[in-house]
Amino acid sequence: MNLILQLIKEMGADTANAITLCMGECAYFKCVKGVALLSSQKITVVCNKKLISVTGENLTVAEYFQGDILIKGDIYGVQIEKS
């Protein structure tokens, strides 16, 4: 059994729109349509009809390829809102 898939299912999400956070050091998002805001304190990505903002310090986009994005830095928070 895959623990991450089980947690995603229990939260009512699906694997196509998954968010993974790793101990405040990185955030991984799938199905990203674009980047709406990019600074060292805040990165906002567009996923379907939602805006997802990552806040913190020293934030950088480590990888961005085929709709998947990896954000690294000192992550303090993540906020999801409808666009």
Side-chain angles (χ1 to χ4, degrees):
M1 177 190 317
N2 188 329
L3 179 61
I4 292 176
L5 291 177
Q6 180 181 351
L7 291 172
I8 290 169
K9 182 180 177 184
E10 289 179 13
M11 291 186 300
D14 62 26
T15 57
N17 298 303
I19 300 171
T20 304
L21 298 174
C22 298
M23 306 270 296
E25 296 177 7
C26 66
Y28 172 77
F29 303 95
K30 293 179 65 104
C31 296
V32 172
K33 304 289 184 194
V35 177
L37 177 71
L38 180 63
S39 76
S40 62
Q41 291 84 34
K42 184 174 184 179
I43 298 176
T44 302
V45 298
V46 180
C47 292
N48 292 332
K49 296 181 180 178
K50 293 185 171 49
L51 295 174
I52 303 173
S53 296
V54 176
T55 55
E57 294 181 11
N58 304 313
L59 300 178
T60 60
V61 174
E63 300 284 334
Y64 185 31
F65 182 70
Q66 294 184 346
D68 292 358
I69 192 167
L70 176 64
I71 299 170
K72 289 188 174 181
D74 300 319
I75 297 173
Y76 301 148
V78 176
Q79 180 179 3
I80 302 171
E81 58 189 81
K82 292 182 181 178
S83 60

